[in-house]
Amino acid sequence: MSYRIGLVGKPSVGKSTFFNAATINDVPEGAYPFTTIDPSLGEAYVRTDCAAPEFGRTCQPSVGKCADGTRFVPVKLVDIAGLVPGAHEGRGLGNQFLTDLNETDVLVHVVDFSGTTDAEGEATEGHDPREDIDFLEEELDAWYLDILRKGIRRYEDKELSDPDPEDVLGEQLSAFGISPAEIKQVILSVDLPVEPPAWDEQDQRTLAQEIRKRTKPMVIAANKMDVPAAQENWAEITDDPAYDHLTFVPVSAHAEKALKNGAEQGVLEYTPGSDEFEITADLPRAKKTGLEQIRTFVEEYGGTGVQQALETAVFDVLDLKAVFPGSASGDWTNGPFRDCFLLPSDATAEDFAYHLHSDIGDGFLHGIDCRNDRQVGADTVLDHRAVVEVVSTTQ
Ligand SMILES: Nc1nc2c(ncn2[C@@H]2O[C@H](COP(=O)(O)OP(=O)(O)OP(=O)(O)O)[C@@H](O)[C@H]2O)c(=O)[nH]1
Ligand SMILES: [Mg+2]
């Protein structure tokens, strides 16, 4: 299973530009709203230091790639159609959009920090990006609230047969990827009784919002940061305490796209995510000037922000870690360091075994930490970039 990152936001913020820069796909981009109608699914990567060099090996990735000791681990990226206010009531591309959202594990909310597009994605000036940040959260919350209320009504209809509230709500909310046990946890975490008829309007809102935050964690990609007005908005918004609950990454999807194109055309050398690149061909003056502006940008911001946004989503917001299946004896029949898996940060050695295969999990005896040859027990929580051999009765 591969994690799915959804690119969301109002029209014309640069979702498709970001998508094309981060994946090998090519979907239309344009300065008019709803350029994208069908969500496009592509493969992107998150970087982690490869473990192979520490073992004096050259890795042979079965998926993704490795460049100069940096492993690029695949994740799925979905370019979702632009969202306009009222989508939960079917406005714009409405409900289809919300269905596509459901299949994602984490969101990158692409926001036009330059303020040059209005709420509907039409050209303007001086638009406050905070409005877009608020509207997306409100729109998602309104949608969650609708479904939660359906669940509450359903519970009230069945109340005589005394069902467990979390089971009835769980059935209604299952599309959000939340289990009845997790729903109960969320209810208790906001200090509500596990009694749906006792919840007033505000309780319902609080609960819907809490479930949304839990099931759709997000990072804000502050896009178009190559425009000076965006840099001013960045300074103001990241300083605004009302937005402390969000994680922001400065991005220029344009810059990433230009560097990717240049690398494909063989006129420059660039590794995605890097804060430097080398021009290797004689270019016309205008092109060279454009690239020098990008150089100033990546030096100042530590990259174009596209890779950084994906990695913040995966490693910080979704809180995953990378784990390499290892060989304590150094015997690699299928090639060294073929795999690198993404697992929740609390995953144990036994969870890792189950991730490899249910039979390996069922027969789990112990793990071996290949860095120091020590045994690790079933309940040991693995470190980020752990290299572990699983010893199982079924291997
Ligand atoms: N200056 C600047 N412009 C950008 C950047 N990223 C995208 N744009 C421009 O913004 C416009 C919209 O880009 P798209 O990628 O089509 O936007 P979208 O969010 O996919 O739009 P819809 O599909 O209509 O929802 C295009 O003219 C892009 O060239 C950026 O980093 N900087
Ligand atoms: Mg688009």
Side-chain angles (χ1 to χ4, degrees):
M1 173 210 149
S2 171
Y3 284 93
R4 247 179 214 234
I5 304 176
L7 289 175
V8 293
K10 73 178 187 186
S12 304
V13 292
K15 297 180 296 297
S16 297
T17 308
F18 184 115
F19 179 88
N20 288 334
T23 63
I24 47 170
N25 307 49
D26 237 340
V27 305
E29 298 158 18
Y32 45 89
F34 298 118
T35 310
T36 303
I37 294 189
D38 292 329
S40 310
L41 180 64
E43 186 169 276
Y45 303 96
V46 289
R47 291 169 301 165
T48 189
D49 288 339
C50 186
E54 292 170 53
F55 291 79
R57 297 279 184 168
T58 303
C59 69
Q60 293 176 12
S62 61
V63 291
K65 55 194 175 190
C66 199
D68 298 329
T70 300
R71 191 84 174 219
F72 287 76
V73 185
V75 287
K76 295 262 186 290
L77 190 62
V78 197
D79 177 15
I80 297 174
L83 179 63
V84 290
H88 75 281
E89 291 156 344
R91 270 197 79 222
L93 298 165
N95 290 330
Q96 177 54 40
F97 161 90
L98 299 171
T99 313
D100 299 330
L101 260 189
N102 259 341
E103 292 169 5
T104 60
D105 299 295
V106 61
L107 302 178
V108 172
H109 180 191
V110 184
V111 178
D112 177 354
F113 260 54
S114 71
T116 54
T117 44
D118 70 13
E120 314 263 329
E122 305 287 354
T124 186
E125 264 172 42
H127 179 81
D128 188 342
R130 275 173 281 215
E131 278 180 32
D132 303 342
I133 299 171
D134 295 346
F135 122 81
L136 189 103
E137 291 197 298
E138 284 159 16
E139 201 55 45
L140 292 178
D141 288 344
W143 172 44
Y144 271 65
L145 183 62
D146 277 354
I147 315 268
L148 175 67
R149 284 191 176 142
K150 281 188 190 144
I152 295 173
R153 280 200 294 277
R154 195 152 151 185
Y155 175 78
E156 286 168 347
D157 289 345
K158 291 185 177 178
E159 211 179 349
L160 285 180
S161 60
D162 199 22
D164 278 335
E166 64 270 25
D167 288 340
V168 181
L169 296 178
E171 217 174 300
Q172 194 72 46
L173 296 166
S174 64
F176 294 136
I178 186 162
S179 68
E182 287 164 332
I183 289 176
K184 191 167 175 180
Q185 261 178 20
V186 180
I187 297 171
L188 297 173
S189 76
V190 293
D191 286 329
L192 286 175
V194 191
E195 256 179 86
W199 303 334
D200 65 18
E201 170 89 21
Q202 188 49 46
D203 297 338
Q204 295 177 0
R205 283 183 192 280
T206 306
L207 195 55
Q209 186 176 59
E210 210 46 45
I211 297 173
R212 187 267 298 170
K213 283 187 182 157
R214 189 83 65 118
T215 55
K216 291 284 170 274
M218 73 167 96
V219 51
I220 307 283
N223 195 31
K224 309 198 186 177
M225 281 291 284
D226 48 282
V227 179
Q231 299 170 12
E232 287 163 27
N233 282 324
W234 169 270
E236 202 175 309
I237 296 172
T238 53
D239 221 23
D240 183 341
Y243 295 89
D244 278 352
H245 66 292
L246 289 166
T247 308
F248 293 89
V249 180
V251 178
S252 171
H254 243 177
E256 180 72 19
K257 188 76 194 304
L259 294 179
K260 185 185 162 188
N261 286 348
E264 272 166 13
Q265 290 157 8
V267 303
L268 54 87
E269 274 175 28
Y270 170 65
T271 309
S274 173
D275 60 0
E276 54 184 21
F277 60 92
E278 193 186 334
I279 300 174
T280 52
D282 231 351
L283 295 173
R285 186 193 288 261
K287 202 153 185 188
K288 214 163 161 197
T289 311
L291 285 171
E292 289 310 329
Q293 281 169 357
I294 293 180
R295 192 188 303 284
T296 310
F297 183 91
V298 294
E299 282 175 1
E300 182 170 350
Y301 289 94
T304 67
V306 166
Q307 275 306 128
Q308 287 80 358
L310 297 175
E311 287 148 15
T312 302
V314 165
F315 294 119
D316 298 342
V317 175
L318 204 52
D319 203 14
L320 301 181
K321 63 187 171 193
V323 180
F324 298 88
S327 164
S329 63
D331 169 23
W332 298 87
T333 23
N334 295 319
F337 294 91
R338 287 184 76 238
D339 295 308
C340 175
F341 297 112
L342 295 173
L343 296 174
S345 66
D346 59 358
T348 61
E350 190 175 29
D351 296 332
F352 175 50
Y354 273 107
H355 181 86
L356 296 174
H357 197 281
S358 57
D359 289 346
I360 298 181
D362 288 342
F364 181 88
L365 296 171
H366 62 263
I368 304 171
D369 178 338
C370 298
R371 284 201 175 87
N372 55 23
D373 281 335
R374 291 211 188 103
Q375 276 200 17
V376 287
D379 296 335
T380 306
V381 174
L382 302 178
D383 289 335
H384 174 51
R385 297 186 60 256
V387 180
V388 176
E389 176 174 342
V390 171
V391 180
S392 168
T393 55
T394 55
Q395 260 181 330

